[in-house]
Amino acid sequence: MAFISKSLIKNRGLDKLKHKANELLKRTLDQHVSLAVTGLSRSGKTAFITSLVNQLINEGNGAKLSFFEPVHQGNFIAAKRIPQKHYHVPRFDYDAAITALTSEPASWPEPTHGISELRLAIRYQPKDSLLKYATDMATLTLDITDYPGEWLLDLPMLKQTYQEWSEQTHALMTQAPRREYSKGFLQKLADLDAFEFASEELLAELSQEYTTLLHTFRHDLGLSVIQPGRFIQPGDLAGAPILEFFPFPGLENFDANEYQNAPDNSLVGMLRSRYLEYKEQVVKKFYKEHFLRFDRQIVLADCLTPLNKGKESFADLELAMSMVLESYNYGKSGILSRLFSPKIDRLLFGATKADHVTPEQHGPLVALLNQLVHQNKHHLNYEAVQMKTLAIASVKATNSGMSKHKGEEIPVIQGQRLLSAESNQSNKVFGEKITIFPGAVPSQLPKDEYWQSKPFNFIAFAPLKDLKKHQSLPHVRMDQVLQFLLADKMI
Amino acid sequence: MAFISKSLIKNRGLDKLKHKANELLKRTLDQHVSLAVTGLSRSGKTAFITSLVNQLINEGNGAKLSFFEPVHQGNFIAAKRIPQKHYHVPRFDYDAAITALTSEPASWPEPTHGISELRLAIRYQPKDSLLKYATDMATLTLDITDYPGEWLLDLPMLKQTYQEWSEQTHALMTQAPRREYSKGFLQKLADLDAFEFASEELLAELSQEYTTLLHTFRHDLGLSVIQPGRFIQPGDLAGAPILEFFPFPGLENFDANEYQNAPDNSLVGMLRSRYLEYKEQVVKKFYKEHFLRFDRQIVLADCLTPLNKGKESFADLELAMSMVLESYNYGKSGILSRLFSPKIDRLLFGATKADHVTPEQHGPLVALLNQLVHQNKHHLNYEAVQMKTLAIASVKATNSGMSKHKGEEIPVIQGQRLLSAESNQSNKVFGEKITIFPGAVPSQLPKDEYWQSKPFNFIAFAPLKDLKKHQSLPHVRMDQVLQFLLADKMI
């Protein structure tokens, strides 16, 4: 008995040695990609990551990845989930998400809050590179990080003083569609003396009101520019003074000297110092602790909901996209390159929910997203970053076909309508199966005539029935996503 | 018009100058105390802080603080809330707590989660010190920090290896009352090979089960020793691998070499590295970022609920108190003094809910707490720390008197019973007004005879009716608390 267990241990020791030598060899050959996935809330981040992982780990079991060269050329071997890198970052809950999609009735996965991580090991056969002479198998380690797009919206604050930020935010609040909702709050501020002593409780109360406004802007009005972004997803900072400030209008009309010397316990003094602390402790911290380690980024944008909501909601998406783009502007004038050295070299914009329009509209959809992305490009310097736009559906929820309408063949999609889709509040499935033509997507930034004719009617769909955990999910262009983000690391 | 506004500005400038000079003078005279308030969950931290703040800011409006010398001798001027020091720490929500207590029907304030802060400025007239020759008014700035007592229970982990911690925790799980509940979990572990590759998902699942056990221990069994403490209040770390480990039994029986060399991706390798990371990122971080700045500490303990629950629950409180005490042991062998330099110089233990027993039982109650605290004292070195024990009621919920029972006068208390007091789950008020003698508190650590006779029946009470926001709350010995913690800083 003693002999057997000793010999077992000895064998284990030998195995371990072999294993270690192998590891050492591989480490020099192996590749690593840190992929960041972001998008404003409800743009479909969770479904995207779930599908991406699902496609890779179920490759060979129905995965349709013909535009992903490592699969197309037969170099892809297999992928599996391995323990994530950072112990203090919440795990992306793939199991819960895939369970939601494959349950009966199926539902969309719960949205994530804050940041989360997941790591894949992708085995492949090197073909074109030097690696193939050294080994018949290499591993690409893929770290996927999910974080709220709202965090990117805060970047421009880093170059703004409290006064500049107040002016800009106040300007938004006095225009439609925010104006009507902001009136009461702005009236309260107008009655306050900026230089008077203010209590913590007053600031807490007003900040609560401002935060409620931000939620209304985001969820009721479908707006995209939400600042400060952390206010609507506070996590452990809930109730901390660092999340209790707001824009104060009219600072530009004060005596500059007096404003500069406002005492620390005055209303404006407190607002200003909390704004500065927010930039240091929240905004900069995210860029330092997370953003700097990303190699590749996909930004997801739901262009269809703002098209549905109307002109102002769409204009707000335009503004948000230009703010998001600042994070990828590493030119001399870029805020980021002055503060840090980010290293993202590929940036993909995905127009999500492409399956919610008929296939011939994908062209206009991607053209539209392209305009959103590129209209700001001439101001910026993206030399270092290779960019691409795609219309995608992470998990396809409709089938497309043709239907006769008034004697004419028209393209349609068919799927199960989501219950209370308008409010976007519920993931519950409504049984109704419908066949529709949701309308034409404009291929250019829409003009007034477009909004007047209201040619578009976006409907939210439930996931398809009978999806399986261990089969690959139906999708639109996830293979092209993989091709752009990963293929060059697997040659 | 222009003349007037200029002169206004000039006056403001002058005022500011005077103010600054005054500030400068005062800064040299002013005192500062950083007071930490802790206790295991449901020991009454929120009610305590609410009452402490209430007594100080409403002094002169019914406050009964005759044992607090600054008030008794007439040196106390006034106290008010001012903005807290750390912007990134949640604010202690005094307003919500006092509103709960003074509403109709009244309820106990919602318990706090994690850490929170509140700052008071206390004005007083210096009497005995040098200050009185320099000024007729001085300010004591009081920072109150509320944090979960569970965080202190983690301190002993800092000196334990993963193996030692596993052994100790496993031993607890195989004894009553934990044994019965832990069986299923331990059986699952017994079926696993510690050296086999383990997936993140397996660890997540088992950790979830272990965390559920911890909740059962705390809330159903009324036990006090909950390790790791952060597991039951995860905050932003929810779902992070750093909170996904558990004790693994029998490590001491493995070949030591093999255990040391267990690969990083083996079950035991993963558990061990997460344990180490937890100590670094969670336990040490709390001591570094918070504990080191405390000057004074009050530890609240509810001795009555464990007396009610029985022998094992009480024994667990004993163990928890000895673990908590390690944080105040700054001797040569102390873990803390080897790692950091804490500066707490006064430590108060408060037996809370003293109003839930008749007044003549306060003596035995404080004697009992004294035993809990001092039985460990000879192992430790508390030279640097002055200690005291008190039986208190932060917010008195009963009235006491005498009642005739079988022709004899017996002491009783009278109050409104809390709905579902047994489960401790609800703060709702049950209308029933009752008059009882809850029983005798043992003045020594109870022996088996005590538990067999079950002489004690603790009943939870709702707050008294008609409490007022701007009057001081009824209490038991809050003045003695203030005397011990603050009076020496106000002379």
Side-chain angles (χ1 to χ4, degrees), chain A residues 12 87 91 239 242 244 258, chain B residues 12 87 91 242 244 258:
Chain A
R12 212 170 230 169
Y87 287 0
R91 206 165 15 87
I242 202 169
E244 291 178 344
E258 194 177 19
Chain B
R12 211 172 229 167
Y87 288 1
R91 208 165 12 88
I242 201 170
E244 291 178 344
E258 194 177 19

Side-chain angles (χ1 to χ4, degrees), chain A residues 45-271:
Chain A
K45 290 190 297 293
T46 311
F48 175 83
I49 296 174
T50 306
S51 177
L52 188 143
V53 173
N54 169 278
Q55 306 299 336
L56 290 172
I57 64 179
N58 293 311
E59 199 285 322
N61 197 5
K64 295 195 177 73
L65 300 175
S66 36
F67 280 96
F68 183 35
E69 278 174 12
V71 166
H72 185 66
Q73 297 174 355
N75 302 349
F76 187 96
I77 298 171
K80 66 171 183 179
R81 289 153 71 195
I82 57 170
Q84 74 188 54
K85 191 173 176 193
H86 301 95
Y87 287 0
H88 59 287
V89 175
R91 206 165 15 87
F92 178 84
D93 200 347
Y94 174 78
D95 296 289
I98 195 80
T99 300
L101 285 169
T102 56
S103 293
E104 181 58 49
S107 61
W108 294 108
E110 287 293 315
T112 51
H113 300 287
I115 198 159
S116 66
E117 270 190 21
L118 183 144
R119 175 177 268 194
L120 290 179
I122 306 173
R123 291 265 160 113
Y124 66 99
Q125 225 173 342
K127 269 258 161 86
D128 302 323
S129 78
L130 280 173
L131 283 184
K132 77 168 173 180
Y133 300 104
T135 178
D136 53 359
M137 192 156 75
T139 304
L140 172 66
T141 304
L142 175 63
D143 280 315
I144 303 172
T145 306
D146 165 34
Y147 68 91
E150 282 76 8
W151 295 4
L152 295 182
L153 291 179
D154 282 348
L155 183 75
M157 293 171 84
L158 289 183
K159 63 175 176 190
Q160 290 175 317
T161 63
Y162 174 64
Q163 182 181 326
E164 288 162 348
W165 178 75
S166 279
E167 258 182 80
Q168 180 197 292
T169 314
H170 179 244
L172 277 178
M173 290 171 84
T174 52
Q175 289 161 31
R178 289 178 176 82
R179 183 173 48 207
E180 197 188 326
Y181 297 84
S182 313
K183 268 183 193 164
F185 177 70
L186 292 176
Q187 188 51 53
K188 274 190 198 168
L189 297 192
D191 293 342
L192 296 172
D193 182 340
F195 296 97
E196 276 292 303
F197 164 82
S199 72
E200 247 181 341
E201 298 82 62
L202 176 71
L203 264 79
E205 194 189 309
L206 291 168
S207 305
Q208 187 49 54
E209 209 168 315
Y210 180 68
T211 305
T212 306
L213 274 178
L214 293 182
H215 280 286
T216 306
F217 297 160
R218 179 73 196 128
H219 302 305
D220 300 345
L221 306 186
L223 299 177
S224 306
V225 177
I226 301 301
Q227 256 187 351
R230 203 61 66 103
F231 278 35
I232 62 172
Q233 278 183 356
D236 277 352
L237 293 176
I242 202 169
L243 299 193
E244 291 178 344
F245 64 92
F246 41 82
F248 197 87
L251 298 180
E252 61 279 18
N253 303 325
F254 290 134
D255 177 275
N257 217 352
E258 194 177 19
Y259 173 68
Q260 283 311 323
N261 295 318
D264 288 348
N265 61 4
S266 67
L267 178 56
V268 77
M270 286 175 78
L271 291 172

Side-chain angles (χ1 to χ4, degrees), chain B residues 150-194:
Chain B
E150 282 77 6
W151 295 6
L152 295 182
L153 291 179
D154 282 349
L155 183 76
M157 294 170 82
L158 289 183
K159 64 175 176 189
Q160 291 175 317
T161 63
Y162 174 63
Q163 183 183 328
E164 288 163 345
W165 178 75
S166 280
E167 258 182 81
Q168 181 197 291
T169 315
H170 178 244
L172 277 179
M173 291 171 84
T174 52
Q175 290 161 29
R178 289 178 175 82
R179 184 174 47 207
E180 196 188 327
Y181 298 83
S182 312
K183 268 182 193 163
F185 176 70
L186 292 177
Q187 188 51 54
K188 275 190 197 169
L189 296 192
D191 293 343
L192 296 171
D193 182 341

